[in-house]
Amino acid sequence: MATHLDSKVKCDIMISYNKMDLEFTCKLAEKFREQGWIVWFADPKMEHRLMLNQKGEAILSCKVFVTVITDVSAKDVQCQDELALAYISNSSIFPVSLKKYRDISPSLDGGMKLMLAKINWTFFFKEELFVENMPALLAAMGKEIMEKTEDNTNISGPPNDSNTILFHGMNINVNDNWNADSEDESEEETSRPQSGRAQKSEGTSLSYDFWDRVFAEKSEVTWVDFKKKFEVEYKDKIIKTYTEEEFKLFVNLIYKDIFMLNKSMKRTSYDQFCEGNPNADPHRFYHRLAQYAKGYHAMREVFNMDSTLRLITIQKLGEFCFPAVINGLTDMLKDEDPNIRAIATIALAKSGRAQKMTVEKIIGMLEDDDRLVRESGCLALGYLKAGGKSELAVADRWRNDPIKSVREAAELALKRMGGDLAKKCIHITDVLSGEMQFLKTPIS
């Protein structure tokens, strides 16, 4: 059965699967172990709470994440959550499909199609393909494991992936093999995995892209014009590849995070988002946007209220401080959903506790309109034991917030902080409580 470690789970490969595919998963795991790799997958006989805890550790620590895809697992919420967590923790993702892509595609929602963009797919929809396609899969996985092992050996200090670009809180791999001109990018028989690392061509300096084609020499365009041209060029392709909801997401992200809600955008801002065009990609903007959307979707998937891995992820963030997670959570502090803002506040305190900006961001959450977000802000600052400005801000909530639960959270935070101001506030509380108790006592 699965490899289990008594304490902290550390593995080379984590396999995500639906229980109906357990037999195939065991067969796959044995093949991986033959290579000398440490493999983890959930043992259905394991106690549920322990299994959930180890699953989170395995996903966050693995170098390669293998997801067994069928039309059933594609709709499995746990498999979706596991995939999202693997994506934001920067694991190399290898989808292993037991059916043809055309048979699975209708079961994949837009978010899964985004994160499972046709990179590293291997198909085993016929028994003989297990032998035929396995060597290419093992070779690609071995390369990723070797490179990540070397990265971990050579790098000291905070995690940093030099092969990716940090944007919108995600470590974004700029290599996206989807061809915007292709009429059908789902070749079921394609079995040779592609490397997930960007390959830069030597001496290439062309930058002909979407802006050059539709806006020529313009240095600034309006949102209305940009949206109209983007729809003409990409709407049908995005809907065909993903869903109409994903097209709406793409448009929303362009306006909110690239135009920054402005009515116009300068070419310089566009170029900053694209980070140049080293491979002369005619669809550089689209490919960057697709990766951007993957990160956005993955963060939302992991930290939403219904996520099966939300709590365990937050608990483990202190041990796995991925830059993608820290920056993604910072972005989620501005989410329109107050539940997401509250969760992001707590999670950010655990994942970014070594960063000075973390305290500043969380102090700002004490002014949120939602009382649960303000409570989370108080508790987060208490967890960080931050002093100075944070003590003043929490003390203000303790004294002036109209909601009792927020004042109580602020009091708990002050006790944990233990600074001079906090001690003074707690002393005042004790004195006032004693006096009020005395006044309530009937005179005999």
Side-chain angles (χ1 to χ4, degrees):
M1 294 303 297
T3 298
H4 301 306
L5 308 181
D6 292 335
S7 54
K8 298 291 184 291
V9 174
K10 300 285 185 182
C11 60
D12 297 313
I13 301 167
M14 191 278 183
I15 306 177
S16 171
Y17 71 101
N18 178 274
K19 61 183 180 180
M20 293 181 64
D21 304 312
L22 177 60
E23 183 179 350
F24 176 82
T25 300
C26 292
K27 181 180 179 182
L28 197 63
E30 284 306 310
K31 201 69 180 177
F32 295 159
R33 291 195 187 101
E34 289 176 5
Q35 313 305 309
W37 299 330
I38 300 174
V39 182
W40 192 97
F41 63 92
D43 184 343
K45 296 179 182 178
M46 185 184 291
E47 189 269 323
H48 179 72
R49 187 171 180 178
L50 176 62
M51 182 269 290
L52 196 61
N53 183 67
Q54 290 200 358
K55 180 192 292 183
E57 291 178 347
I59 297 172
L60 290 166
S61 70
C62 72
K63 300 176 182 72
V64 167
F65 177 87
V66 175
T67 177
V68 179
I69 303 290
T70 63
D71 49 351
V72 176
S73 67
K75 298 177 181 178
D76 188 324
V77 173
Q78 289 194 36
C79 291
Q80 294 172 3
D81 292 345
E82 291 161 14
L83 172 64
L85 181 54
Y87 186 87
I88 67 171
S89 61
N90 216 26
S91 297
S92 297
I93 298 173
F94 285 78
V96 171
S97 178
L98 302 187
K99 292 193 176 183
K100 293 183 178 183
Y101 186 82
R102 63 169 174 255
D103 296 330
I104 293 175
S105 181
S107 300
L108 296 172
D109 65 18
M112 288 195 76
K113 286 181 178 179
L114 268 174
M115 290 185 288
L116 294 175
K118 297 280 297 179
I119 200 167
N120 297 330
W121 277 75
T122 303
F123 293 91
F124 295 127
F125 52 82
K126 293 188 290 187
E127 191 170 338
E128 55 267 29
L129 290 179
F130 192 84
V131 175
E132 292 177 16
N133 294 342
M134 185 57 69
L137 174 63
L138 295 177
M141 290 173 59
K143 181 180 178 182
E144 290 293 326
I145 291 172
M146 184 181 300
E147 289 177 344
K148 294 201 172 189
T149 301
E150 290 174 355
D151 289 345
N152 292 339
T153 302
N154 296 332
I155 295 176
S156 60
N160 180 36
D161 186 350
S162 60
N163 294 299
T164 56
I165 293 173
L166 186 62
F167 205 95
H168 196 260
M170 300 306 301
N171 282 329
I172 298 174
N173 188 327
V174 297
N175 182 33
D176 187 334
N177 286 353
W178 183 77
N179 183 350
D181 291 326
S182 171
E183 289 301 315
D184 183 10
E185 59 100 28
S186 57
E187 293 293 330
E188 298 91 331
E189 285 71 31
T190 300
S191 60
R192 182 174 298 278
Q194 303 294 319
S195 171
R197 297 184 180 271
Q199 301 295 323
K200 293 188 178 182
S201 57
E202 296 295 329
T204 301
S205 60
L206 295 174
S207 60
Y208 191 74
D209 185 26
F210 172 68
W211 188 295
D212 302 287
R213 288 194 299 276
V214 298
F215 300 120
E217 300 301 319
K218 289 185 179 179
S219 61
E220 185 172 356
V221 296
T222 66
W223 163 240
V224 173
D225 286 343
F226 192 96
K227 179 184 177 185
K228 187 182 299 181
K229 297 293 185 182
F230 183 81
E231 287 182 352
V232 169
E233 185 147 347
Y234 292 111
K235 182 176 181 178
D236 291 343
K237 290 180 172 65
I238 292 172
I239 292 175
K240 180 180 179 181
T241 307
Y242 305 116
T243 64
E244 187 162 0
E245 286 302 309
E246 258 49 51
F247 172 75
K248 293 177 182 177
L249 170 64
F250 279 34
V251 172
N252 180 57
L253 289 178
I254 295 173
Y255 184 52
K256 180 171 69 77
D257 292 358
I258 303 175
F259 271 76
M260 302 295 289
L261 302 179
N262 294 318
K263 298 301 181 184
S264 64
M265 179 174 65
K266 296 182 182 298
R267 174 66 189 259
T268 52
S269 298
Y270 174 92
D271 289 340
Q272 183 180 5
F273 176 77
C274 291
E275 296 243 332
N277 194 2
N279 295 318
D281 179 3
H283 302 287
R284 170 70 168 181
F285 176 75
Y286 168 78
H287 291 149
R288 291 283 292 151
L289 182 63
Q291 292 286 18
Y292 198 80
K294 288 180 190 180
Y296 179 89
H297 175 85
M299 290 295 295
R300 294 275 306 191
E301 183 76 18
V302 170
F303 291 103
N304 76 66
M305 293 298 290
D306 297 323
S307 171
T308 59
L309 291 172
R310 177 173 57 84
L311 293 178
I312 188 62
T313 301
I314 292 173
Q315 290 167 8
K316 298 298 177 184
L317 284 176
E319 301 166 28
F320 301 93
C321 300
F322 299 103
V325 176
I326 295 170
N327 288 276
L329 289 171
T330 300
D331 187 70
M332 289 168 65
L333 296 177
K334 300 175 286 186
D335 197 277
E336 60 185 19
D337 185 345
N339 292 322
I340 293 291
R341 297 199 302 273
I343 292 166
T345 301
I346 294 292
L348 185 61
K350 301 212 64 168
S351 64
R353 63 181 184 276
Q355 298 192 8
K356 293 181 180 179
M357 287 301 295
T358 298
V359 174
E360 294 290 335
K361 295 289 185 182
I362 295 176
I363 288 176
M365 305 312 291
L366 299 182
E367 302 297 327
D368 197 277
D369 292 337
D370 187 84
R371 65 98 181 165
L372 186 59
V373 177
R374 299 198 301 277
E375 279 184 53
S376 298
C378 290
L379 295 174
L381 291 170
Y383 171 81
L384 292 169
K385 294 185 178 180
K389 290 172 60 178
S390 63
E391 265 190 296
L392 289 170
V394 173
D396 181 68
R397 286 297 105 199
W398 165 75
R399 183 176 290 277
N400 298 314
D401 201 280
I403 306 297
K404 182 181 178 182
S405 60
V406 178
R407 297 195 300 271
E408 291 173 343
E411 184 176 346
L412 286 172
L414 289 171
K415 288 179 179 178
R416 184 176 175 88
M417 287 175 174
D420 291 339
L421 178 59
K423 289 177 181 177
K424 183 178 179 181
C425 291
I426 298 304
H427 175 69
I428 292 172
T429 300
D430 292 340
V431 171
L432 291 175
S433 296
E435 290 181 356
M436 285 188 287
Q437 187 62 39
F438 174 77
L439 291 173
K440 290 178 182 178
T441 304
I443 301 175
S444 55

